[in-house]
Amino acid sequence: MKRQLQILTISIGILILQTITGCKKYTCECTAYNLNDPAQGAQTNYKVKKRDRDEMCTAKSTQPDINGNYTTCVIK
């Protein structure tokens, strides 16, 4: 009985830890650039959840368009 209580306590602790880390928020930083102008363009920051960070941040990076404009998004 004591062993079962220990296993249950450990399991609940692991579940709580996973829940807390799964809700952790990261800052996504997107910066606009232009191939013809070396200066950095506009910059935006927003929060994303850990489980959504690839879809909501790094996937927003773009390739240069016909005018040389592109965006790079990274997790900070």
Side-chain angles (χ1 to χ4, degrees):
M1 186 68 168
K2 194 173 188 181
R3 175 115 172 116
Q4 288 177 339
L5 183 61
Q6 286 176 334
I7 292 172
L8 181 62
T9 304
I10 291 171
S11 299
I12 289 172
I14 291 171
L15 182 63
I16 289 171
L17 183 63
Q18 286 178 336
T19 302
I20 291 170
T21 58
C23 294
K24 185 175 180 182
K25 301 239 180 183
Y26 292 86
T27 301
C28 179
E29 181 178 284
C30 292
T31 307
Y33 295 98
N34 186 297
L35 292 175
N36 302 320
D37 184 9
Q40 178 177 317
Q43 189 172 24
T44 57
N45 295 316
Y46 58 94
K47 300 283 185 185
V48 292
K49 290 183 180 178
K50 180 180 179 178
R51 63 188 162 121
D52 299 332
R53 66 183 176 186
D54 289 332
E55 298 85 23
M56 298 299 292
C57 186
T58 53
K60 302 257 182 199
S61 296
T62 61
Q63 297 295 320
D65 63 9
I66 195 165
N67 298 319
N69 299 317
Y70 66 98
T71 304
T72 303
C73 296
V74 294
I75 298 286
K76 291 286 181 170

